[in-house]
Amino acid sequence: MFLSIVLSLMNSAFADDVIADPQPFGLLHMWTTVYDMDENEVADPAGYGDPEDDIGFKLRRTRAGISGVNDQTRYRVSVGMSSPFDATLNRGSESIDLVDAYFSWKALNGLWVTGGVQKVPVSREQIMSSSDLVLAERAAASVWMVPNREVGLLGDYTVDMKSSKLNVQAGVFNGNGSLLGDDNAGKMLAGRVEYTMGEGVYNTFGTTDGLVLGIAVDGYLNQDIATQDLGYGADVIVRAASLSILGEFRMRTLSPTNTTVDVPAVLSETQQMGYLAQVGYSVGQFEPAVRYSSFDDNMDNVNAGDGSAISIGCTWHSQKDTVRIGAGYEMRLEADAYAISNDTARAWMMLRY
């Protein structure tokens, strides 16, 4: 009886266009490492942002799913896999897992409420879709210093101001990285405030008719079983004609808490810092770009955790941008006493639909 009522309501919702029509989408992203500076083929030196790839091929990420958007609802469900970002963090999974699973409802004019597995609204480069990254990968700080996807509830309110907008997001999440519920009473609180002018503040390719500007501040607090994780930062994107400039600065403090249940992630209060600056220019179907990024995993010490990188590359976009082909060079820069040979040259191919 209950199932019949639910099905009747769903059919009525689709008939009234309350639920957006589903549209399939997919992503196939392959890497080819064409040059690997690592001196020891048996034991490559690990580094932040270094997945320790030898010369060869791999699938960096795949996605497949359905999504829908209309004036009242938004939703997205996808599955996929991803290979490790680096040898230290090892964020990735070779198995096919759930990636996104969320539903948004327009509760009031300008206010959307989203529940499910979704990206935490922190860090412009992390929020950007991986399919829109001109250099095929994010900077180390945008992966190490911010949460990625979590199960939770997010409120998203937008104020239209004629030629610009103010967007305020606030949410509560489990904060444990699991899809199967929470394992402790602590929660993650996150928020983001962003001012935008024009369209296209989360991609860099193409030519704009006028100035496109996005400026945001954000932060999160995650109370885990034995560790408190506090992060905050600011980011900006400026696009004018064919030029795009992206910048981001982040701080993070990890603190152990009094507990006998679990081992804290750090033994004493640890401050981290990271930033990036990226410049790109669209020339027809080509998009060359250069990025400088830095990540310090402990600001109190000069050690192997102080790493910077210069990334240079160029991506070709097909006419409808369903195919992207690019190549780039990653020059990793450690402190002098900890310098290692770990530069990488790679080519990539991406199919988007």
Side-chain angles (χ1 to χ4, degrees):
M1 180 64 179
F2 175 75
L3 181 59
S4 299
I5 295 175
V6 171
L7 291 175
S8 176
L9 291 173
M10 290 180 62
N11 290 333
S12 175
F14 275 106
D16 295 338
D17 291 330
V18 174
I19 304 298
D21 293 334
Q23 301 293 329
F25 66 89
L27 170 70
L28 174 63
H29 184 189
M30 188 180 80
W31 273 10
T32 302
T33 301
V34 297
Y35 171 70
D36 178 31
M37 188 182 281
D38 294 338
E39 296 172 346
N40 191 332
E41 296 183 357
V42 177
D44 296 341
Y48 292 118
D50 182 5
E52 292 191 351
D53 290 338
D54 291 322
I55 295 175
F57 307 91
K58 78 173 183 182
L59 287 179
R60 176 62 183 93
R61 52 178 64 88
T62 62
R63 302 284 187 267
I66 58 171
S67 65
V69 178
N70 64 16
D71 294 336
Q72 191 66 49
T73 60
R74 303 170 184 167
Y75 60 87
R76 182 181 177 96
V77 179
S78 66
V79 296
M81 58 77 62
S82 59
S83 53
F85 169 77
D86 62 28
T88 308
L89 179 63
N90 198 34
R91 177 178 284 178
S93 173
E94 294 184 0
S95 60
I96 304 298
D97 294 319
L98 187 68
V99 178
D100 292 301
Y102 63 79
F103 177 79
S104 299
W105 179 264
K106 188 176 182 180
L108 298 170
N109 186 30
L111 175 62
W112 290 80
V113 178
T114 303
V117 185
Q118 57 191 297
K119 282 192 174 183
V120 178
V122 174
S123 169
R124 185 177 304 274
E125 196 181 38
Q126 182 59 249
I127 296 172
M128 289 175 63
S129 170
S130 57
S131 63
D132 287 322
L133 301 174
V134 58
L135 295 172
E137 192 52 88
R138 297 178 175 90
S142 301
V143 178
W144 266 88
M145 297 184 66
V146 300
N148 189 8
R149 288 176 171 86
E150 292 283 352
V151 180
L153 190 67
L154 177 71
D156 186 329
Y157 185 72
T158 301
V159 180
D160 285 320
M161 299 183 294
K162 294 184 179 180
S163 60
S164 60
K165 296 179 181 179
L166 182 67
N167 179 243
V168 180
Q169 294 176 290
V172 56
F173 305 88
N174 285 343
N176 63 348
S178 173
L179 308 179
L180 305 178
D182 209 349
D183 57 0
N184 63 87
K187 295 294 177 285
M188 175 189 290
L189 304 176
R192 180 176 175 88
V193 179
E194 180 174 18
Y195 172 82
T196 63
M197 180 187 302
E199 300 294 331
V201 295
Y202 286 94
N203 58 71
T204 60
F205 174 64
T207 301
T208 64
D209 293 332
L211 178 66
V212 174
L213 174 67
I215 304 175
V217 293
D218 57 43
Y220 70 92
L221 174 63
N222 188 15
Q223 298 279 4
D224 209 342
I225 297 176
T227 307
Q228 176 179 283
D229 184 355
L230 172 66
Y232 54 91
D235 56 66
V236 60
I237 187 170
V238 180
R239 298 181 60 190
S242 298
L243 177 69
S244 68
I245 301 173
L246 175 67
E248 189 163 338
F249 177 82
R250 305 218 61 84
M251 294 291 295
R252 183 189 190 193
T253 302
L254 294 167
S255 306
T257 57
N258 295 326
T259 180
T260 57
V261 178
D262 198 4
V263 178
V266 292
L267 299 179
S268 62
E269 184 175 284
T270 302
Q271 284 197 324
Q272 300 179 343
M273 179 181 69
Y275 56 88
L276 68 91
Q278 177 181 300
V279 179
Y281 195 87
S282 299
V283 184
Q285 300 305 116
F286 291 89
E287 184 184 11
V290 58
R291 179 183 68 207
Y292 178 81
S293 60
S294 180
F295 172 59
D296 186 346
D297 69 353
N298 189 340
M299 295 178 63
D300 291 332
N301 299 320
V302 177
N303 53 27
D306 302 335
S308 301
I310 298 175
S311 306
I312 303 173
C314 182
T315 295
W316 172 83
H317 303 251
S318 67
Q319 192 65 37
K320 295 184 178 181
D321 209 13
T322 54
V323 176
R324 295 186 175 189
I325 300 174
Y329 190 87
E330 184 87 2
M331 181 186 301
R332 299 183 180 90
L333 308 170
E334 295 83 18
D336 291 341
Y338 301 94
I340 54 178
S341 299
N342 59 349
D343 290 359
T344 300
R346 64 172 67 103
W348 56 83
M349 179 180 66
M350 184 180 296
L351 171 65
R352 319 182 324 156
Y353 69 88

